[in-house]
Amino acid sequence: MTIKRILVLVSKLMGPSVFLALTLLLGRLSGLLRESIVASVFGVSAQSDVAVILLSLPDLMVNLLIAGGLSAAFVPQLVKASVAEADILARFVGLITTTLFGFLGLMIYVSPEVVLAALAPGRTDQTQLLSGRLLVLIGLALPCAAISGVLGAYINAHGRFFVSGLGTFIFNVAVIAALLLGFGQTSLQALSIGVFAGAVLRVVPQLYYLPMRLFRSPAVLPANWRVLLRSFFAGLFAVGATLLAPVILRAAASLFEGGSVSVLKYAEKLVELPIGVGLGAVSIVSLTAISKASAAGGTQSASNETVKHMRIAFSLGCLATLGSLGFAEPVAQLAFGYGKMTARDVDMVAELFRIGALSIPFAALSMMATNFLYATGRTTTALWITLLALCSLLPMAYFAVKSGSNLYLMVAFSIYQAVLATAIMFKSGLPIISRADIQTSALLDVGLIKTLLISAAPLFVAAIIHFGLALHSPMLSLAIAGIAFLLGLLWVGHSQGRTI
């Protein structure tokens, strides 16, 4: 039996969301280790701010594609298309995205000061750190990230979710290896080598899963290429606007003292861990399921499928928030308490993490409601809602800059996520509260409230043990929290049923 068949068999036995969550966990943990090593090498300084910005570019591109235009236009179309049509779509979208991000890579090489001014206006004095070789490697990494995004979406649409997590893991391992080995280069140059190598290597397992017929498909345009292109860019801009929120906050943080961008990014990485693993797995799997439900039974069927997945995502988000509030310090200490990171730096990361964790349940609602809009062909609606929500972030970011505190920036991010979730839930028309006179699935009912209360109980007990005994070992505290979270997770799975 080949490795490919073994992985497919394991995925079927475990269920797609569970298997995907495990692979995403591998990718996210390696990403956290990557960020931890970056923090230990660069610390909290103006140079670390530049390193963080360069490192986030390929990640931003892949997330933009997989969660954005490809989710909005590509995945639903692939689900509905025949095999031949799907292959033509893949070639078409691959050409568009590679060209687009190749142009962006060229811009980075030609005008690095413009890119740095846009992403970190307070760090334009650090342009001298960006050598020509470094910019070439970062620029070449972007079209590679585009290719990876297209292939990942194509494979996800065919139910091979394992590769998404594996690609992220490979990218992170390449960056970690480059930073540890150094290759006789400066830290920033070694980082750029790792970014380029990771962007190239993450494509390798995806090529292994692709059918050979894809490379022999006729070079013709899809029949609905105009509609596809319009949906693609609407989705790209919609999720681009969502991903723009942390970019705006990091740009605002660059106006503070050196290292403010880095410490904000480190905290964001901790917030992203539960979102990328648990919620990311549910979101990726649910998009395909909701698209199939929409194609087979219309909007009502898609709504029921969305609510089913949303209840689980919301439960996971609430558990993650509770765990983060109670154990922010040991998490930050274990992740970033090394190298050039001081005790004050780690405490600041923990404080920012605790505030950012409040946004996780709202992120769960936004992700699922956005999937519903994508699957039912309402990508433009998602775009406008996201842009309007983003407008609420700008005055809050301005106030935070005037106050001179990173804490207010993270508060602004949590409020933005709440505004976005409220607006997109309202506009999607998904039922929120269960009603006896309407026989449809809804997000909130007595059963879900009981599930949340019972699943949260172990975390409350773990927090009492942590604070009551004043545990000084981060590892011991997190072991207790992990057991409590697992118990809560098992209850969520039991009470909500094995629906995904």
Side-chain angles (χ1 to χ4, degrees):
M1 184 178 289
T2 64
I3 296 176
K4 184 189 296 187
R5 289 182 179 179
I6 292 174
L7 292 174
V8 171
L9 177 61
V10 172
S11 179
K12 289 181 178 179
L13 290 174
M14 297 177 66
S17 280
V18 176
F19 190 56
L20 176 59
L22 291 176
T23 56
L24 287 179
L25 178 63
L26 184 65
R28 290 292 176 171
L29 287 178
S30 62
L32 186 58
L33 177 60
R34 179 195 77 187
E35 216 71 26
S36 175
I37 292 175
V38 168
S40 67
V41 171
F42 294 98
V44 173
S45 61
Q47 188 181 28
S48 71
D49 290 346
V50 175
V52 162
I53 291 167
L54 293 178
L55 187 56
S56 8
L57 279 174
D59 280 347
L60 179 65
M61 298 302 105
V62 172
N63 291 334
L64 183 63
L65 287 170
I66 292 180
L70 298 181
S71 292
F74 195 34
V75 173
Q77 291 284 346
L78 284 176
V79 170
K80 301 172 185 176
S82 65
V83 172
E85 291 171 339
D87 292 346
I88 293 173
L89 284 174
R91 288 169 61 93
F92 173 69
V93 174
L95 177 63
I96 294 294
T97 52
T98 304
T99 302
L100 175 63
F101 288 100
F103 176 73
L104 291 177
L106 182 63
M107 279 187 59
I108 290 176
Y109 176 70
V110 174
S111 303
E113 66 282 352
V114 174
V115 177
L116 196 58
L119 297 177
R123 296 292 176 268
T124 51
D125 58 334
Q126 302 296 318
T127 308
Q128 72 276 6
L129 297 174
L130 306 178
S131 66
R133 183 188 305 174
L134 185 152
L135 294 172
V136 168
L137 292 173
I138 296 295
L140 289 175
L142 294 192
C144 293
I147 294 171
S148 176
V150 174
L151 297 183
Y154 178 86
I155 294 169
N156 284 346
H158 288 80
R160 302 293 187 261
F161 301 108
F162 165 76
V163 186
S164 298
L166 185 60
T168 304
F169 173 73
I170 291 173
F171 176 81
N172 291 331
V173 168
V175 174
I176 291 170
L179 285 173
L180 293 179
L181 296 175
F183 302 113
Q185 307 292 324
T186 66
S187 297
L188 280 178
Q189 289 173 337
L191 177 65
S192 66
I193 292 172
V195 168
F196 173 69
V200 173
L201 291 174
R202 79 188 304 168
V203 179
V204 174
Q206 294 173 327
L207 293 174
Y208 178 69
Y209 273 82
L210 289 179
M212 290 303 298
R213 67 170 188 277
L214 184 63
F215 301 98
R216 297 192 293 265
S217 299
V220 297
L221 289 175
N224 61 338
W225 69 271
R226 288 185 178 86
V227 175
L228 178 68
L229 205 58
R230 190 161 50 246
S231 298
F232 172 78
F233 280 107
L236 197 69
F237 291 135
V239 176
T242 303
L243 296 175
L244 202 59
V247 173
I248 290 174
L249 296 179
R250 287 197 289 269
S254 72
L255 300 174
F256 302 152
E257 62 181 351
S260 297
V261 176
S262 308
V263 78
L264 188 66
K265 175 61 178 175
Y266 300 153
E268 286 175 4
K269 201 68 181 178
L270 295 177
V271 176
E272 289 171 2
L273 185 61
I275 293 177
V277 179
L279 303 186
V282 176
S283 178
I284 292 173
V285 172
S286 69
L287 178 61
T288 302
I290 297 168
S291 298
K292 289 180 179 178
S294 176
T299 303
Q300 186 57 55
S301 178
S303 174
N304 292 336
E305 189 70 25
T306 303
V307 170
K308 181 174 67 175
H309 288 83
M310 184 179 286
R311 289 166 64 91
I312 294 179
F314 184 68
S315 301
L316 293 178
C318 291
L319 281 179
T321 295
L322 288 175
S324 302
L325 292 176
F327 296 90
E329 285 83 5
V331 168
Q333 178 63 39
L334 194 62
F336 296 108
Y338 313 100
K340 294 184 179 180
M341 293 289 288
T342 65
R344 178 178 175 276
D345 297 334
V346 174
D347 289 341
M348 178 56 69
V349 171
E351 197 168 358
L352 291 170
F353 172 42
R354 182 177 282 112
I355 297 172
L358 297 173
S359 68
I360 298 175
F362 298 111
L365 297 179
S366 298
M367 292 166 72
M368 302 310 303
T370 301
N371 278 355
F372 173 72
L373 293 178
Y374 286 171
T376 53
R378 298 160 65 186
T379 53
T380 306
T381 302
L383 170 61
W384 286 113
I385 293 173
T386 307
L387 288 176
L388 288 173
L390 197 64
C391 290
S392 71
L393 178 64
L394 296 177
M396 291 188 290
Y398 176 79
F399 172 78
V401 169
K402 287 297 183 181
S403 70
S405 172
N406 256 351
L407 295 177
Y408 288 113
L409 285 177
M410 193 61 91
V411 170
F413 177 72
S414 294
I415 295 175
Y416 158 76
Q417 287 285 14
V419 170
L420 176 61
T422 303
I424 205 164
M425 284 290 293
F426 174 77
K427 194 63 179 178
S428 67
L430 291 167
I432 299 175
I433 301 176
S434 178
R435 292 170 53 184
D437 57 328
I438 301 179
Q439 298 299 317
T440 57
S441 301
L443 170 63
L444 297 176
D445 57 17
V446 176
L448 182 64
I449 294 173
K450 287 181 179 178
T451 296
L452 292 176
L453 291 175
I454 295 174
S455 61
L459 282 172
F460 280 115
V461 174
I464 291 172
I465 295 173
H466 169 64
F467 290 106
L469 298 181
L471 299 178
H472 297 293
S473 169
M475 187 71 73
L476 179 58
S477 296
L478 290 183
I480 295 173
I483 294 172
F485 185 81
L486 181 60
L487 291 174
L489 195 62
L490 290 174
W491 180 256
V492 169
H494 169 74
S495 61
Q496 295 300 311
R498 194 169 181 270
T499 57
I500 54 174

